[in-house]
Amino acid sequence: MDTTKTPAPNAAEADTQVDLEKSETTQDAAAEAKADADLAAATDTDADSALTDSALTDADLDDDFAEDQAEAEQPSQVGSAAFAIVSAGLSVVALSGSWVAGIVSERASIAARLELSQAADANAQIAAQFVDPWHTTAMVNGVFSALALIIATFVLALPAFSTPERTLPTWVRSVSWAGIGLGALGVLLFVLMYFDLLLAIPKAAA
């Protein structure tokens, strides 16, 4: 029979083992606390990011709505631009001549020749063949110039009568002013040509 007894651990070894157990418990608690803190921080970050994205989305929607509303309130300038181009075109046609003026001029010449008698003198023949067609051409071009002048003036004056008052684009105003200038020049040439103030009627020698 073995009567040998296992020696009991001394006090120093027991204290060391207790200290190790306490240290491990403290480290586990610290690790758990750190993990909880990291999780809470990540949750707060995600919440802040979600709130920021939501705020940005709302701001973008508000900006888009404001832009759409401003575009809807802004009146269209298509009609004014079209009339401005028409006025400039009419003024150019009036100064350069058109097939309408040519046809009317030829018709006036034929009508004057038919009314001319066989005994008409040279001045009457000149008037029938040349003067009447010239006056007719000047009259047609003068009508085109007057139309261009009226349309361009209407385009420039239209914003003053609109509610609310609007402003035309720069290029529309420029084209309208060009129509006014060329139209006024066409009307002036019509007056000078129709009343023979610019070019005198040729006379036959007696």
Side-chain angles (χ1 to χ4, degrees), residues 80-81 83-89 91-92 95 145 148-159 167-186:
S80 300
F83 279 113
I85 294 173
V86 168
S87 66
S91 60
V92 171
L95 292 176
S145 299
L149 187 61
I150 293 172
I151 293 174
T153 304
F154 171 77
V155 171
L156 291 176
L158 184 61
T167 302
L168 294 174
T170 304
W171 74 271
V172 174
R173 285 179 288 168
S174 300
V175 174
S176 298
W177 278 113
I180 288 178
L182 295 176
L185 179 61

Side-chain angles (χ1 to χ4, degrees), residues 7-205:
N10 55 22
E13 292 178 354
D15 293 339
T16 301
Q17 186 176 1
V18 171
D19 292 339
L20 289 174
E21 292 178 355
K22 289 182 178 180
S23 177
E24 291 176 356
T25 304
T26 303
Q27 290 178 356
D28 293 339
E32 292 179 357
K34 184 178 180 182
D36 293 338
D38 294 339
L39 180 61
T43 304
D44 294 339
T45 302
D46 294 338
D48 293 340
S49 177
L51 290 175
T52 303
D53 294 340
S54 177
L56 291 175
T57 303
D58 293 339
D60 294 338
L61 291 176
D62 293 338
D63 294 339
D64 293 340
F65 178 75
E67 292 177 358
D68 294 340
Q69 187 175 7
E71 291 178 357
E73 293 178 355
Q74 183 67 22
S76 177
Q77 309 292 349
V78 176
S80 300
F83 279 113
I85 294 173
V86 168
S87 66
L90 284 175
S91 60
V92 171
V93 169
L95 292 176
S96 61
S98 65
W99 63 271
V100 176
I103 291 174
V104 176
S105 174
E106 292 177 0
R107 186 180 183 279
S109 177
I110 293 173
R113 290 178 184 180
L114 292 175
E115 295 176 357
L116 193 64
S117 63
Q118 297 293 335
D121 58 0
N123 290 328
Q125 293 179 3
I126 292 174
Q129 295 181 11
F130 301 105
V131 178
D132 289 343
W134 291 345
H135 289 173
T136 304
T137 302
M139 182 180 63
V140 174
N141 292 336
V143 171
F144 284 164
S145 299
L147 287 176
L149 187 61
I150 293 172
I151 293 174
T153 304
F154 171 77
V155 171
L156 291 176
L158 184 61
F161 298 97
S162 61
T163 305
E165 186 174 352
R166 59 183 180 178
T167 302
L168 294 174
T170 304
W171 74 271
V172 174
R173 285 179 288 168
S174 300
V175 174
S176 298
W177 278 113
I180 288 178
L182 295 176
L185 179 61
V187 171
L188 177 62
L189 290 177
F190 156 71
V191 174
L192 295 176
M193 295 292 291
Y194 191 83
F195 295 100
D196 301 322
L197 300 176
L198 183 62
L199 299 174
I201 300 175
K203 300 290 185 180

